[in-house]
Amino acid sequence: MTAPIVRFAPSPTGRLHVGNVRTALINWLYAKGQQGKFILRIDDTDTERSTKEYEDALKVDLEWLGLVWADTFNQSDRFGEYDAAAEKLRGMGLLYPCFESADELERKRKIALSRGRPPVYDRAALDLSDEEKAKLEAEGRKPHWRFKLSGERVEWNDLVRGPQSIDTSSLSDPILIREDGSYLYTLPSVVDDIEAGITHVVRGEDHVTNSGAQIEIFKALGGTAPDMAHTPLLIGADGQGLSKRLGSLSMGELRAQGYEPMAVCSLLAKIGTSDNVEARETLDQLVEEFSFDKIGRAPARFDEAELLAVNATLLHALPFEAVKDRLAAVDPRAADEAFWTVVRANCSLLPDVAAWVETVFGTITPVIDDEDKEFVTTAAGLLPEGELTGETWSQWANAVKAETGRKGRGLFMTLRKALTGQDHGPDMGALLPLIGRERALERLQG
Ligand code: GLU
């Protein structure tokens, strides 16, 4: 088998979100595992809605995730090629002008439905004579252009969905060119896939029907259709579609919240597959584990709680060197190896360290219940002399126990709440030296 060439083809009309990143990731993992090539195609034929800012942002997002591309190009630079392909199809009688307005099409659709027929375009435009077309154009009507489907079955063996068969007689001839001359993605995509030698089109299952038409366009333009893989869509933990929440699930948003890129990749590579979701530290591990055979047919469930759990697991194993700069950006006091090593197990997201910076180095409100006041004062007097070390806590606790007779929760939780103002947190033995004698004594005074 020759090395695969795949592409990820986002439209720069918004930020990348978990849905399209999953498509990018699957393409990338497959290419990488087969020593193939991953191309980034910018689908910006819709010049009204596409922006350079979104294009730049999606590149930054892909780089952040580590999904580097071997090559990239913009469809907006290739209108000449699309025009040539359209001309070729016209010459073959496979691209024909239609003059129906949106209202007329809607009316036809409703009539078909009311008669119990599928709302398939009736090809009335094919019956227009040259004079009729000339007359319509003279009236100022501009045509949109449809591809003439063969009416036969199109079949392919989908790498995710298995054998597929689409009866093109049940489909409307797809519009390839709008009234204003702009291209829908259907034709440019095929033209580019042929030219780039794309071997596998991997995308969401919302494109399955398009694939029926596109396979016919590949053939008409003299290309061979690539292999196809259509992945099930993402749903939320509640079983609902994610479309309304994709804004908050954009890479920009997840990154701003402090998520690790490998948490996003670990989760998106595994949901909807036969593998369990587990934190992976490198993309190479995900490459090793990737196979189209593992992707199921059911929608993939994206659960933010699971993303957070994966993120926490990754964070807990991150060495100081790997996060030093990001810690400093949260708070200069956080860029301290001993501090990070102690608090990381209590952080799910890296910015969670901010609260621990306050707990350790800042000002807190000690929590000392009235009945514990005397006990805490006694304990303060027993704090071992000299520098506080990793041993101090247990030495101190022993001394306090011997003096007061308290043990267990009544001793440890009482001191924790007095020293940190909280009833949970990192190991006190490790935390105490960071808090230091001065702050510890001050807090024990309430
Ligand atoms: N720009 C199209 C989309 O994002 C590309 C689809 C494809 O991968 O062919 O839906």
Side-chain angles (χ1 to χ4, degrees):
M1 198 182 101
T2 53
I5 305 176
V6 299
R7 84 297 194 277
F8 172 52
S11 300
T13 54
R15 289 298 292 255
L16 287 188
H17 50 70
V18 290
N20 43 28
V21 164
R22 178 162 170 264
T23 301
L25 180 64
I26 293 173
N27 272 286
W28 193 91
L29 293 174
Y30 180 62
K32 191 81 201 280
Q34 306 289 318
Q35 284 78 49
K37 192 170 166 185
F38 173 81
I39 295 176
L40 173 62
R41 185 181 88 201
I42 307 294
D43 280 9
D44 55 357
T45 54
D46 183 344
T47 47
E48 299 258 295
R49 290 175 59 230
S50 302
T51 71
K52 180 82 175 84
E53 287 70 30
Y54 283 133
E55 178 183 335
D56 292 344
L58 75 85
K59 288 179 176 169
V60 169
D61 289 341
L62 289 175
E63 278 167 355
W64 176 65
L65 292 159
L67 306 182
V68 288
W69 51 92
D71 203 357
T72 180
F73 63 92
N74 290 53
Q75 289 198 319
S76 59
D77 290 333
R78 295 178 40 79
F79 286 118
E81 278 76 6
Y82 309 145
D83 292 346
E87 212 35 56
K88 184 168 172 183
L89 294 177
R90 277 188 197 102
M92 296 167 83
L94 291 177
L95 188 64
Y96 62 96
C98 303
F99 293 85
E100 292 92 346
S101 66
D103 285 349
E104 279 170 86
L105 289 174
E106 183 54 22
R107 207 162 48 239
K108 283 189 186 203
R109 216 180 71 85
K110 284 196 179 135
I111 292 172
L113 284 173
S114 71
R115 294 186 182 154
R117 289 203 308 258
V120 173
Y121 175 59
D122 61 8
R123 291 184 163 170
L126 279 178
D127 298 330
L128 292 173
S129 65
D130 287 345
E131 292 76 54
E132 284 169 319
K133 285 186 234 174
K135 187 162 169 272
L136 284 163
E137 297 218 35
E139 284 168 12
R141 303 271 290 254
K142 291 233 166 8
H144 54 272
W145 296 79
R146 287 187 191 259
F147 177 73
K148 193 168 163 222
L149 292 165
S150 69
E152 287 162 17
R153 282 194 171 274
V154 172
E155 304 197 325
W156 76 92
N157 196 4
D158 197 279
L159 290 167
V160 173
R161 297 165 61 87
Q164 300 293 297
S165 173
I166 290 192
D167 176 6
T168 62
S169 69
S170 70
L171 303 179
S172 292
D173 288 337
I175 298 173
L176 301 190
I177 306 174
R178 298 187 190 89
E179 236 171 69
D180 63 3
S182 65
Y183 287 94
L184 282 104
Y185 101 104
T186 322
L187 177 64
S189 182
V190 172
V191 171
D192 292 341
D193 286 346
I194 293 174
E195 192 166 317
I198 297 300
T199 58
H200 297 74
V201 167
V202 182
R203 56 189 179 184
E205 68 181 11
D206 48 332
H207 286 293
V208 169
T209 310
N210 296 338
S211 291
Q214 284 186 317
I215 287 172
E216 292 210 327
I217 300 175
F218 272 107
K219 291 193 178 139
L221 292 176
T224 340
D227 283 345
M228 303 261 172
H230 292 90
T231 55
L233 301 182
L234 295 188
I235 53 168
D238 55 2
Q240 303 293 309
L242 284 178
S243 58
K244 292 205 187 76
R245 292 173 41 219
L246 286 175
S248 64
L249 296 174
S250 73
M251 289 309 110
E253 193 58 40
L254 295 180
R255 194 174 172 179
Q257 285 176 39
Y259 277 97
E260 306 301 308
M262 276 313 298
V264 177
C265 291
S266 295
L267 186 77
L268 292 179
K270 294 299 168 74
I271 50 174
T273 76
S274 51
D275 281 348
N276 290 330
V277 171
E278 278 167 42
R280 295 283 180 256
E281 288 173 15
T282 65
L283 284 170
D284 284 344
Q285 288 169 278
L286 295 176
V287 168
E288 291 277 306
E289 293 160 354
F290 176 81
S291 163
F292 281 117
D293 296 340
K294 293 182 179 175
I295 303 177
R297 294 282 308 265
R301 200 170 273 260
F302 176 85
D303 183 348
E304 279 141 298
E306 200 170 17
L307 180 62
L308 192 63
V310 171
N311 199 81
T313 306
L314 284 172
L315 212 56
H316 301 170
L318 273 182
F320 178 64
E321 281 306 313
V323 286
K324 194 166 74 180
D325 296 345
R326 288 168 62 206
L327 290 173
V330 173
D331 189 311
R333 293 171 293 173
D336 172 315
E337 184 158 11
F339 169 78
W340 170 245
T341 313
V342 171
V343 304
R344 65 183 172 183
N346 286 79
C347 297
S348 296
L349 293 166
L350 183 124
D352 293 349
V353 296
W356 293 113
V357 167
E358 273 322 296
T359 304
V360 174
F361 305 114
T363 314
I364 61 138
T365 310
V367 174
I368 305 172
D369 297 337
D370 283 346
E371 66 268 26
D372 292 328
K373 284 215 161 98
E374 203 184 314
F375 165 78
V376 172
T377 307
T378 309
L382 292 168
L383 190 64
E385 293 297 321
E387 199 194 336
L388 304 188
T389 69
E391 316 301 313
T392 306
W393 174 255
S394 58
Q395 290 165 0
W396 184 33
N398 284 337
V400 174
K401 184 175 158 193
E403 178 74 21
T404 65
R406 273 214 207 189
K407 56 184 186 192
R409 206 181 145 79
L411 187 159
F412 294 106
M413 184 56 81
T414 307
L415 292 181
R416 174 185 288 281
K417 289 197 314 198
L419 286 167
T420 68
Q422 296 176 58
D423 60 7
H424 69 281
D427 172 42
M428 282 307 297
L431 212 53
L432 187 58
L434 290 173
I435 294 173
R437 171 178 302 279
E438 201 179 318
R439 268 189 299 261
L441 288 175
E442 195 178 307
R443 292 173 183 187
L444 293 169
Q445 275 150 27

